[in-house]
């Protein structure tokens, strides 16, 4: 069984799918590991470290992709500089495991099915206790929440903690975090460690205790509808509920020194949480860090990938925050992949068991077919829009 680690070609992607420590463990299990030359360089894992772990370094990209039984990546397959698609390099019947974003980009599932590749999307891992060790969305979101607070602290023209000095007492910064999923909770914990006063809001009332356990105040809004979707994710709410929510959070945004937004809905545009009118009411020098920038942003003024100043407020729309901490992001992601592969393999061979709820949810294509109904519906929507 040959497992290959591809080098990421996306400019902003610094992570790598496997790290040397994990490679060494897999080789002890009798697996053959190929690593594309330079695959770990941007994550500070050089080829020599992989060779020392027992991996074979492959300089020929075409060979690595076409001869792999299981190919591991971080970002979805893309077009190469020579105009060829990475998907076209995969051999029929091989297994691809990666972030694939199939709900937002269902065409990728169509192409993988046409290539007769068995594809497992890391975004589709279910939010269950048994799947926690494979939940790459959570492991990477935690990094994003941590880094968002550091970015905010660097941009804010104030201290985060309260300081008592000979020149007087400095009040702590007020941080308002919108969304208390994995990223939001890590942001709360990090902001509290830095000494800030933290408030947090989420449409899911069930997260109240988690927010309070981290030392933050929970801003509660009672809505007359279900706000939690399957798997524990926040559910898209009605326009009436959105309006009610905006009315309540406006006052908290106005009084905050920093607002960090983290709300995302899988496969859909990020919900608008901070309107331009809210931005206008914020204090000059305040900062917004919009973690959802890649999905369009939670703030009306967000420009994905750029830092801008609007109405005296610095608005930061970072792209791919986990990649900015590539060492630990890669380590965590590699453990997520390894846990999933342990489920897939039996006696050093791939065994796709759809009776297993994790494999059933994560496997989006197999034997030339798209397996997910949600992806099929998304693909029909895209096809209808084009025609």
């Amino acid at each position: 069984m040959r497992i290959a680690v591809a080098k990421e070609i996306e400019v902003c992607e610094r992570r790598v799918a496997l790290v040397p420590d994990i490679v060494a463990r897999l080789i002890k299990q009798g697996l053959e590991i190929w690593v594309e030359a330079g695959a770990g360089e941007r994550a500070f894992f050089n080829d020599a470290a992989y060779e020392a772990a027992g991996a074979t370094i492959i300089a020929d990209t075409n060979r690595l992709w076409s001869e792999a039984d299981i190919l591991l990546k971080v970002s979805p397959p893309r077009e190469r500089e020579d105009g060829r698609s990475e998907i076209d390099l995969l051999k029929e019947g091989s297994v691809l495991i990666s972030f694939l974003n199939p709900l937002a980009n269902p065409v990728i599932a169509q192409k993988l099915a046409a290539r007769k590749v068995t594809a497992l999307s890391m975004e589709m891992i279910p939010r269950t206790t048994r799947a926690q060790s494979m939940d790459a969305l959570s492991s990477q979101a935690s990094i994003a929440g941590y880094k968002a607070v550091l970015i905010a602290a660097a941009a804010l023209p104030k201290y985060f903690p309260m300081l008592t000095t000979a020149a007087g007492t400095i009040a702590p910064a007020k941080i308002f975090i919108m969304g208390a999923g994995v990223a939001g909770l890590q942001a709360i914990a990090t902001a509290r460690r830095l000494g800030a006063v933290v408030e947090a809001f989420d449409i899911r009332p069930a997260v109240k205790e988690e927010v309070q356990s981290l030392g933050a105040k929970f801003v509660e809004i009672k809505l007359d509808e279900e706000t939690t979707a399957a798997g524990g994710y926040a559910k898209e709410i009605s326009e009436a509920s959105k309006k009610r929510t905006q009315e309540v959070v406006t006052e908290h945004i106005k009084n905050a020194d920093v607002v960090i937004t983290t709300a995302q809905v899988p496969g859909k545009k990020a919900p608008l949480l901070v309107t331009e009118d809210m931005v206008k009411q914020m204090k000059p020098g305040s900062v917004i860090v919009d973690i959802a920038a890649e999905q369009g942003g939670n703030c009306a003024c967000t420009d994905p990938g750029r830092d801008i100043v609007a109405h005296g407020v610095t608005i930061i729309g970072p792209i791919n925050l986990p990649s900015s901490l590539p060492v630990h992001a890669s380590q965590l992601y590699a453990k997520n992949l390894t846990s999933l592969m342990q489920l897939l393999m039996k006696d050093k061979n791939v065994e796709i068991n759809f009776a297993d709820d994790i494999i059933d949810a994560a496997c989006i294509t197999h034997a030339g077919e798209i397996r997910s109904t949600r992806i099929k519906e998304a693909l029909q929507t895209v096809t209808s829009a084009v025609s």
Side-chain angles (χ1 to χ4, degrees):
M1 176 59 57
R2 182 175 296 140
I3 299 171
V5 178
K7 181 178 180 179
E8 304 297 324
I9 60 175
E10 190 173 355
V11 174
C12 66
E13 186 55 75
R14 297 171 60 195
R15 292 171 291 180
V16 64
L18 290 184
V19 298
D21 285 350
I22 298 294
V23 167
R25 291 180 206 171
L26 292 173
I27 288 173
K28 283 181 181 177
Q29 294 173 20
L31 300 170
E32 182 181 1
I33 308 295
W34 282 11
V35 177
E36 187 171 355
E41 283 182 354
R42 286 190 285 178
F44 304 99
F45 301 108
N46 59 33
D47 290 348
Y50 285 105
E51 286 183 308
T56 301
I57 303 300
I58 304 294
D60 186 339
T61 301
N62 290 351
R63 182 187 174 204
L64 179 119
W65 281 73
S66 63
E67 296 184 21
D69 297 306
I70 300 177
L71 191 125
L72 306 178
K73 278 188 96 284
V74 180
S75 296
R78 299 185 180 277
E79 297 292 323
R80 303 195 312 171
E81 289 183 359
D82 61 9
R84 293 185 66 189
S85 168
E86 288 184 320
I87 291 175
D88 293 336
L89 301 179
L90 287 163
K91 72 177 180 181
E92 289 189 6
S94 64
V95 176
L96 170 67
I97 309 178
S98 175
F99 282 118
L100 295 170
N101 198 18
L103 294 176
N105 181 24
V107 174
I108 197 168
Q110 186 179 47
K111 292 178 179 178
L112 287 164
R115 190 67 182 167
K116 296 183 180 176
V117 170
T118 296
L120 287 90
S121 174
M122 296 304 287
E123 292 96 338
M124 304 296 281
I125 297 289
R127 281 276 177 91
T128 61
T129 301
R130 181 167 163 262
Q132 279 183 340
S133 63
M134 310 164 207
D135 188 356
L137 278 181
S138 291
S139 73
Q140 303 304 295
S142 180
I143 293 171
Y146 167 80
K147 189 60 180 285
V149 175
L150 300 187
I151 290 171
L156 186 69
K158 298 181 179 181
Y159 281 118
F160 259 43
M162 181 180 77
L163 293 177
T164 302
T165 73
T169 299
I170 294 172
K174 295 178 180 178
I175 316 299
F176 185 47
I177 295 169
M178 305 185 74
V182 175
L185 292 172
Q186 184 60 254
I188 291 168
T190 305
R192 290 287 297 139
R193 289 189 200 105
L194 292 177
V197 173
V198 183
E199 292 183 324
F201 162 75
D202 196 291
I203 60 172
R204 298 165 295 176
V207 302
K208 179 178 179 179
E209 290 185 9
E210 291 181 89
V211 168
Q212 292 175 330
S213 71
L214 293 171
K217 177 184 176 183
F218 184 67
V219 176
E220 193 165 7
I221 302 173
K222 295 191 184 222
L223 301 175
D224 297 326
E225 63 178 286
E226 180 58 51
T227 57
T228 304
Y233 293 97
K235 184 179 180 181
E236 190 170 19
I237 56 177
S238 66
E239 290 302 318
S241 292
K242 287 178 184 176
K243 184 177 179 182
R244 167 67 180 148
T245 297
Q246 288 180 354
E247 288 171 354
V248 174
V249 303
T250 295
E251 197 66 24
H252 296 273
I253 289 172
K254 183 172 71 174
N255 294 326
D257 296 301
V258 170
V259 174
I260 296 175
T261 64
T262 70
Q264 299 181 58
V265 179
K268 296 186 179 180
K269 190 177 185 300
L272 179 64
L273 302 180
V274 183
T275 65
E276 187 167 2
D277 283 340
M278 292 179 188
V279 175
K280 288 178 181 178
Q281 295 180 57
M282 293 180 72
K283 295 172 286 189
S286 299
V287 174
I288 296 173
V289 179
D290 191 344
I291 293 180
E294 285 181 84
Q295 287 192 354
N298 297 139
C299 176
C301 300
T302 296
D303 188 350
R306 295 186 59 209
D307 301 354
I308 66 168
V309 177
H311 311 294
V313 177
T314 299
I315 301 165
I316 302 170
I319 298 294
N320 195 0
L321 272 179
S323 184
S324 66
L325 274 72
V327 174
H328 286 147
S330 297
Q331 288 176 353
L332 293 174
Y333 183 66
K335 289 178 181 177
N336 296 144
L337 285 179
T338 305
S339 295
L340 180 58
M341 284 194 293
Q342 301 299 327
L343 209 59
L344 280 176
M345 301 183 69
K346 186 175 182 181
D347 298 326
K348 301 179 189 176
N349 291 308
V350 173
E351 185 176 286
I352 307 296
N353 177 18
F354 293 122
D356 187 290
D357 64 307
I358 297 174
I359 294 175
D360 185 54
C363 186
I364 63 169
T365 65
H366 181 67
E369 300 289 337
I370 297 174
R371 299 193 64 257
S372 168
T373 301
R374 293 170 67 195
I375 296 172
K376 288 178 182 178
E377 291 172 349
L379 186 59
Q380 287 177 345
T381 302
V382 170
T383 305
S384 299
V386 171
S387 58

